[in-house]
Amino acid sequence: MWTVFEIAINFFQGFLMILFMNRCLPESKVSAWWFDVLFEAIICGFYSLYLFIPLPVSLDNVIFIIPLLYAVITKRGSWPQRIIWTLTLGAIFNIATIGVSSLYEAIFDTTFDQLMEYGEVRLGFVITTNVAITTLVYFIPRIFVKSKAPDFSSSSFFIFIITLVLQIVIAELLFIYQIKNGVNDTYFLIVDICMIILVIMTVLLYEIISQYVFKRHQAEMALQVMELSQKHNTDIHMIYNEMLATQHDMRHRINAAESLLKQSSNVPEESIHELLDVSSEIQNQFITGNAMVDAILTAKKAVMDESGISFRYQPYPLQKLPIREADFCVLISNILDNAIEAIGRMGRKADQKTEIHLSLARSWDMFYIRCENPMDPNTIHIRDSRYISSKENARIHGFGTQYIKHVAENAGGQCHFMPSKDHFTVLIVLPDQEG
């Protein structure tokens, strides 16, 4: 019966470990209930080895590699997040077990070896230890874990990792000293309680800084979006004024042609053609069915012409847009800005030809935006599945791709960034209920 009881307790602790990692790390589509049960069984099997094979107590710390492996396989969080929460899990299990052990040794005047002997005292020790661990596993993620994707610097993560490692090492050294010397002084119980409080304070500090970093990141992104919107509005205003000027000029040309025809019926055809000749600016204009999109494309085409970039546009009627007009325009403008900047970082030769290809299409109830441009693969920087700006201060730049992804996902769509050997492709798929 004792063997069955111990195995059941070990499986329960495996359940607590996997539950803790699931609550503290971002969700993953890779995981499934049977996958969780599999890892819980692996943890149970590792813990149950000592029932049949004599093993050193220190091997208990190796068990936490399994929850870390679980986080890696299920692709939950970044590496620093996985390490921090695995170490927190290890601190909870170790310090809670040592604390309850010190409590029993102080109250019942027993030794650790006596706690390992089957009997009523061990039964109470095992149950009390698991109640303490369950309380902490439930309490810490529920109270502290609010933001699951902090954008810490490497040095900040390193400090938290070192702090948790030191807490585990100190608790383990005190435990070994207590066992070897057979000491059951209440001072050890007080130290263990302080260690638990220290773990909680470390997690609390981690959460406070996470929230601060997350809010600062959101504020920076909002500021960048406002600046981008202002820039795009300026572009639209400029093109709109040019269109008004062109219309005004064209009106005068038509009036002059009419006056010329009224004065004489033998006006040379060349004179009429010269008066009604359409300027190069008019030829650059796009007609999509949406004036704002026309203005954006015209403005970006002018920038590309100045930079010696060819623009190949596959048109599609845009009388109806899949998202708000303002969001759609900022989306298109961001995509083209990123493409122009990527080509600008290539260091191309004077005679090297470059082209940006933008295409729009509808298929059934989905709207597709696809942009492809050449690029230098050395300028692509990815951190935690996120594209980082190649500019000098990446922390205050690089919001373009994030904003594109944000707009697409908020509309219920998808955004895919697909770098290849020397080309970069952006594919956005949006639900189009009115398509």
Side-chain angles (χ1 to χ4, degrees):
M1 287 297 295
W2 272 106
T3 302
V4 175
F5 171 74
E6 294 281 353
I7 292 175
I9 289 296
N10 293 337
F11 187 85
F12 177 70
Q13 291 192 348
F15 166 76
L16 291 179
M17 290 184 186
I18 299 303
L19 177 66
F20 183 84
M21 299 302 284
N22 284 340
R23 286 189 170 186
C24 294
L25 292 172
E27 295 181 4
S28 170
K29 297 179 180 179
V30 178
S31 182
W33 68 267
W34 60 267
F35 201 75
D36 294 353
V37 172
L38 174 62
F39 271 86
E40 291 163 9
I42 294 172
I43 295 171
C44 174
F46 187 91
Y47 263 144
S48 300
L49 284 176
Y50 77 91
L51 296 173
F52 310 100
I53 305 172
L55 294 174
V57 177
S58 59
L59 278 181
D60 284 354
N61 293 322
V62 181
I63 192 71
F64 299 104
I65 294 177
I66 299 177
L68 177 61
L69 184 63
Y70 169 81
V72 173
I73 294 177
T74 55
K75 298 180 180 179
R76 291 179 179 270
S78 61
W79 266 105
Q81 289 177 279
R82 296 165 187 165
I83 294 173
I84 281 180
W85 287 115
T86 300
L87 290 173
T88 303
L89 180 65
I92 289 172
F93 269 73
N94 281 353
I95 297 175
T97 303
I98 294 170
V100 174
S101 171
S102 299
L103 176 67
Y104 267 74
E105 290 172 12
I107 293 176
F108 298 104
D109 194 24
T110 61
T111 63
F112 181 76
D113 291 335
Q114 291 173 338
L115 288 176
M116 294 296 101
E117 297 176 358
Y118 295 137
E120 294 180 359
V121 176
R122 173 164 177 75
L123 178 64
F125 167 70
V126 171
I127 293 175
T128 306
T129 300
N130 282 275
V131 169
I133 293 172
T134 302
T135 302
L136 291 172
V137 166
Y138 176 82
F139 171 75
I140 289 179
R142 188 175 182 84
I143 302 300
F144 296 129
V145 180
K146 302 296 182 184
S147 175
K148 295 188 176 182
D151 187 19
F152 283 178
S153 63
S154 300
S155 58
S156 299
F157 272 117
F158 182 75
I159 291 172
F160 279 107
I161 289 171
I162 291 298
T163 302
L164 290 168
V165 169
L166 286 176
Q167 292 170 12
I168 295 173
V169 170
I170 292 171
E172 192 69 23
L173 290 175
L174 288 173
F175 181 58
I176 293 173
Y177 175 82
Q178 188 178 7
I179 292 176
K180 287 185 176 179
N181 293 276
V183 181
N184 57 1
D185 203 314
T186 54
Y187 286 117
F188 283 96
L189 177 59
I190 296 173
V191 171
D192 291 329
I193 293 173
C194 291
M195 293 295 293
I196 287 290
I197 294 174
L198 186 58
V199 170
I200 293 175
M201 293 299 293
T202 302
V203 175
L204 177 61
L205 180 61
Y206 174 83
E207 178 59 27
I208 291 173
I209 297 178
S210 297
Q211 286 293 309
Y212 169 76
V213 172
F214 178 75
K215 289 179 180 178
R216 187 183 67 180
H217 182 268
Q218 291 293 97
E220 289 175 349
M221 184 172 181
L223 180 62
Q224 286 290 319
V225 170
M226 288 177 62
E227 291 178 354
L228 286 170
S229 298
Q230 184 178 6
K231 176 179 177 293
H232 300 152
N233 289 336
T234 301
D235 290 341
I236 292 173
H237 184 69
M238 178 189 69
I239 296 300
Y240 180 71
N241 288 336
E242 290 180 0
M243 291 171 65
L244 288 179
T246 301
Q247 290 177 359
H248 182 75
D249 178 67
M250 198 65 189
R251 192 179 301 115
H252 281 290
R253 289 171 181 269
I254 293 173
N255 291 336
E258 289 177 348
S259 299
L260 197 61
L261 288 172
K262 287 179 180 179
Q263 293 174 6
S264 174
S265 58
N266 298 321
V267 179
E269 186 177 347
E270 293 78 8
S271 300
I272 300 298
H273 277 295
E274 183 179 350
L275 281 172
L276 298 180
D277 184 32
V278 180
S279 65
S280 59
E281 286 81 6
I282 275 288
Q283 295 173 9
N284 285 339
Q285 291 183 2
F286 297 83
I287 302 176
T288 64
N290 185 286
M292 286 187 67
V293 177
D294 294 346
I296 288 290
L297 294 176
T298 304
K300 299 308 173 187
K301 176 67 165 57
V303 175
M304 293 179 205
D305 289 343
E306 291 179 3
S307 303
I309 302 172
S310 300
F311 184 40
R312 184 156 57 98
Y313 171 62
Q314 182 177 324
Y316 193 88
L318 298 178
Q319 286 84 357
K320 293 181 180 179
L321 298 176
I323 56 177
R324 290 190 315 124
E325 184 179 57
D327 288 337
F328 189 86
C329 288
V330 175
L331 201 64
I332 295 295
S333 187
N334 264 320
I335 292 171
L336 294 177
D337 279 344
N338 289 343
I340 294 170
E341 288 181 11
I343 293 175
R345 292 192 297 267
M346 288 177 59
R348 52 204 171 110
K349 301 176 181 178
D351 58 345
Q352 184 178 0
K353 294 183 179 180
T354 53
E355 181 181 72
I356 295 175
H357 180 203
L358 175 68
S359 61
L360 310 175
R362 279 187 173 94
S363 178
W364 296 91
D365 57 349
M366 304 303 291
F367 189 94
Y368 297 86
I369 303 173
R370 188 178 187 276
C371 183
E372 182 180 353
N373 60 271
M375 58 88 183
D376 180 0
N378 295 322
T379 62
I380 299 294
H381 304 291
I382 304 175
R383 185 174 69 195
D384 298 336
S385 301
R386 197 175 67 199
Y387 287 86
I388 306 299
S389 175
S390 298
K391 295 179 181 177
E392 184 176 348
N393 192 347
R395 289 194 63 82
I396 62 173
H397 296 288
F399 291 95
T401 54
Q402 297 180 51
Y403 182 74
I404 292 170
K405 189 175 181 67
H406 173 76
V407 171
E409 292 180 349
N410 272 7
Q414 296 180 353
C415 178
H416 303 283
F417 300 107
M418 299 174 288
S420 61
K421 184 178 180 181
D422 55 0
H423 276 73
F424 191 89
T425 303
V426 179
L427 176 62
I428 299 173
V429 183
L430 301 170
D432 184 33
Q433 302 301 329
E434 298 182 0

